[in-house]
Amino acid sequence: MQLTSILLYESLKQQFHIADYRLLSKNQPLARPFFYEADRGLLSNHIYLTEEILDLSVFTSMPEDVVLVICQKNRNSFLPEGRFSCILLSCDTSVLHVFNAIQSIFDYYESWEQQLISVCHQDGTLDELLQLSMPVFRNPLCILANDGSLVAQSALEELPDMESFFQDASVRIDYLNSFNQDPACRIAPESKVPALFPAYITGHRSLNINLFLNGQGQYRLSIIEKEETITDADHYLITVLAHQAEYILHRMYSESSSRSTTLQSIFQSVLSDRTADYMNISHLLNSVGWLPQHNYLCSVIQTSGDVHASLNADTVCSFIGAEFSASCSVVYKDNVVSFFNLSLLDLEAEEVFQGLVLFIRDSILKAGYSRSMTGHMNLRRQYHQAYTALKLGGEIDPQLWIHHFDQIAVPYILRQATRILPGNMLCYEKLLDLVQSDKVQNTEYIKTLRTYLEHNLNTVQSAKALFIHRSTFLYRLERIRTILETDLEDADELFYLNLSLRLLDMDENQSPT
């Protein structure tokens, strides 16, 4: 590993007194040092050491990509004018000791780089990479996805004031919006240069660099300033760490087929194994980048039965995989079950719906969708939501091709409630007296009560809806109150009455014709 001129300067400053220095470029790469010999030329990109008093001609003839380190005992020495890079030490230490110190600096950073490379080549993780780098940067480190979600970290527990940023999605979005709106806190997606963000948004300065995958900046490596001040040398060192982090990201991407197989195995377990260890499933998903703080959506697509679909299940799986990179589709009970990682896709659920609507219609398929939810613990429940939407939605509105759980939630609740007991055994007991009165005396009390509840207890609007005089409506309402033995003012009773009317409707719809 090469040093840069600023890294060399800052490392020497920690050990020796520097009387003067001049660096033409902070980022000048430098290889290991030589002793300066007047009768030999200077190799490009190298460090040269001497304790001699040099003629001005030496400085004027120096290549600009060489850094000269001069060891002198005179603390009042200074550098002449000119275009050259030089560090002037004033100390009683011998040039040999300074030479060895520079060699040790090279050894330290080369050892760090070799450890990083070893982690990459031994299938190590991003977290391990950051842990190894803590002694170098002496500040907390993290890798974030574009949505601000945490991918890897080291020592973030030392920043309790930033805990909400990393754990609370709503707070994180507020922070991201603040960053995006402040020119001092933005880094262009195509930039490969580190950017130092000020502290006034999070309370900590941070040094940030994009991590590229397939030519796009999809992640960000950050050094968060806690106690050690971020230095100019860190701007170079973060690029070394970023290069190795990208290697792991590319390895993860290049293993996409293996990752896909792993995801399919995980989701098959989610669907088929009722005793599956969800903590282990969460760990497995986390290992392939599907994190607990991500948002997920599930769809169930019917490709057999009465639908007469033109595509088989494998074709449907392939299409969804090609259209939505952060998705996983498996065949389960003759249906295609797909899980979408909305966070990695950077999409809202509605955008997934729109992306599949023409495919479903043109392929004569039927689909059910769950709600979008955060985390790993509800994945199987999301499947049940999507499957219920497909099955129950198809029974209620068979002409529709796409069904959402929110649209059939109420009928589902009613069906679940009447699985054991029929609606007339669950409903408001006195309501059955109104039903009986309507049958025997043709009183229309049920219709009147339903209209009254639907119009939020407004007598005028209810009378108009029933096309009767208000006095007639008030008479009926009084009779209804008498029969029900209630004044129709208690919120819980009104809710129960509304529910009871739905339950009676369920009985009527399910009765044989």
Side-chain angles (χ1 to χ4, degrees), residues 477-496:
L477 187 59
E478 187 59 30
R479 290 292 302 147
I480 290 171
R481 286 173 174 156
T482 301
I483 295 172
L484 294 180
E485 299 179 358
T486 177
D487 56 7
L488 297 178
E489 291 181 1
D490 182 81
D492 287 340
E493 282 192 339
L494 292 172
F495 169 77
Y496 190 15

Side-chain angles (χ1 to χ4, degrees), residues 9 116 479:
Y9 164 75
L116 298 183
R479 290 292 302 147

Side-chain angles (χ1 to χ4, degrees), residues 149-165:
S149 59
L150 188 64
V151 176
Q153 64 88 20
S154 178
L156 288 186
E157 64 275 3
E158 298 178 9
L159 302 169
D161 53 330
M162 289 190 66
E163 182 178 3
S164 61
F165 174 85

Side-chain angles (χ1 to χ4, degrees), residues 110-125 128-129 132 244-245 247-248 251:
E110 285 183 356
S111 173
W112 170 58
E113 185 182 43
Q114 287 303 314
Q115 291 179 68
L116 298 183
I117 293 172
S118 177
V119 168
C120 292
H121 289 173
Q122 293 178 12
D123 296 335
T125 66
E128 291 175 314
L129 217 60
L132 281 173
Q244 302 303 332
Y247 180 93
I248 292 181
R251 186 191 71 210

Side-chain angles (χ1 to χ4, degrees), residues 275-290:
T275 64
D277 183 349
Y278 266 71
M279 294 303 295
N280 182 54
I281 286 173
S282 181
H283 175 74
L284 292 172
L285 287 170
N286 196 69
S287 70
V288 292
W290 285 43

Side-chain angles (χ1 to χ4, degrees), residues 266-267 269-271 276-279 281-282 285 290-300 337-340 369-387 405:
I266 294 170
F267 283 115
S269 179
V270 168
L271 296 172
D277 183 349
Y278 266 71
M279 294 303 295
I281 286 173
S282 181
L285 287 170
W290 285 43
L291 307 182
Q293 58 266 38
H294 287 169
N295 291 328
Y296 299 93
L297 174 74
C298 180
S299 73
V300 177
V337 181
S338 301
F339 289 89
F340 302 86
Y369 288 107
S370 73
R371 294 169 176 169
S372 62
M373 303 181 75
T374 301
H376 299 153
M377 296 301 124
N378 290 312
L379 292 171
R380 182 172 177 82
R381 295 189 181 102
Q382 284 182 279
Y383 159 73
H384 282 298
Q385 282 188 340
Y387 179 74
F405 181 76

Side-chain angles (χ1 to χ4, degrees), residues 7-282:
L7 180 55
L8 172 66
Y9 164 75
E10 291 185 356
S11 299
L12 290 175
K13 186 172 66 173
Q14 295 176 10
Q15 303 180 54
F16 307 102
H17 179 267
I18 297 178
D20 197 4
Y21 78 99
R22 180 178 301 128
L23 300 175
L24 297 182
S25 169
K26 293 180 179 180
N27 298 318
Q28 177 63 46
L30 299 169
R32 285 185 178 265
F34 292 109
F35 288 108
Y36 172 74
E37 296 177 85
D39 58 344
R40 301 188 64 175
L42 302 177
L43 297 176
S44 297
N45 301 321
H46 274 276
I47 304 165
Y48 284 87
L49 289 92
T50 185
E51 56 187 359
E52 300 176 12
I53 298 176
L54 303 175
D55 293 335
L56 182 60
S57 60
V58 174
F59 294 103
T60 57
S61 62
M62 275 179 54
E64 293 185 359
D65 57 5
V66 165
V67 173
L68 183 64
V69 178
I70 303 175
C71 306
Q72 292 187 356
K73 297 182 180 181
N74 184 358
R75 286 181 174 265
N76 297 320
S77 299
F78 60 91
L79 297 174
E81 295 297 323
R83 284 192 57 79
F84 57 87
S85 295
C86 183
I87 300 174
L88 178 61
L89 305 182
S90 57
C91 55
D92 295 330
T93 306
S94 69
V95 67
L96 183 60
H97 180 72
V98 176
F99 178 87
N100 289 337
I102 293 176
Q103 293 284 19
S104 296
I105 295 169
F106 272 95
D107 290 343
Y108 175 78
Y109 287 108
E110 285 183 356
S111 173
W112 170 58
E113 185 182 43
Q114 287 303 314
Q115 291 179 68
L116 298 183
I117 293 172
S118 177
V119 168
C120 292
H121 289 173
Q122 293 178 12
D123 296 335
T125 66
L126 292 170
D127 286 295
E128 291 175 314
L129 217 60
L130 300 187
Q131 290 287 348
L132 281 173
S133 303
M134 272 297 298
V136 174
F137 294 100
R138 303 179 301 282
N139 276 311
L141 302 163
C142 65
I143 294 176
L144 305 175
N146 279 342
D147 64 353
S149 59
L150 188 64
V151 176
Q153 64 88 20
S154 178
L156 288 186
E157 64 275 3
E158 298 178 9
L159 302 169
D161 53 330
M162 289 190 66
E163 182 178 3
S164 61
F165 174 85
F166 297 109
Q167 296 187 0
D168 190 322
S170 60
V171 173
R172 185 168 66 246
I173 293 300
D174 289 340
Y175 274 111
L176 292 177
N177 288 334
S178 298
F179 282 127
N180 292 333
Q181 293 167 14
D182 192 328
C185 298
R186 285 201 297 259
I187 180 170
E190 68 279 2
S191 175
K192 297 184 178 181
V193 178
L196 184 65
F197 290 177
Y200 50 73
I201 292 181
T202 65
H204 299 272
R205 292 201 310 168
S206 62
L207 186 62
N208 305 270
I209 188 170
N210 286 328
L211 300 179
F212 287 84
L213 185 62
N214 295 331
Q216 296 181 332
Q218 300 185 29
Y219 299 88
R220 183 175 297 176
L221 170 63
S222 294
I223 305 169
I224 304 174
E225 190 176 75
K226 182 179 179 288
E227 295 178 355
E228 295 289 335
T229 302
I230 292 175
T231 66
D232 289 335
D234 290 327
H235 284 68
Y236 166 63
L237 295 173
I238 196 174
T239 63
V240 177
L241 178 57
H243 177 72
Q244 302 303 332
E246 286 180 342
Y247 180 93
I248 292 181
L249 289 172
H250 279 284
R251 186 191 71 210
M252 292 167 59
Y253 180 81
S254 66
E255 295 169 352
S256 58
S257 59
S258 173
R259 172 180 173 275
S260 176
T261 301
T262 301
L263 277 173
Q264 289 177 347
S265 175
I266 294 170
F267 283 115
Q268 284 285 7
S269 179
V270 168
L271 296 172
S272 61
D273 186 358
R274 294 178 179 271
T275 64
D277 183 349
Y278 266 71
M279 294 303 295
N280 182 54
I281 286 173
S282 181

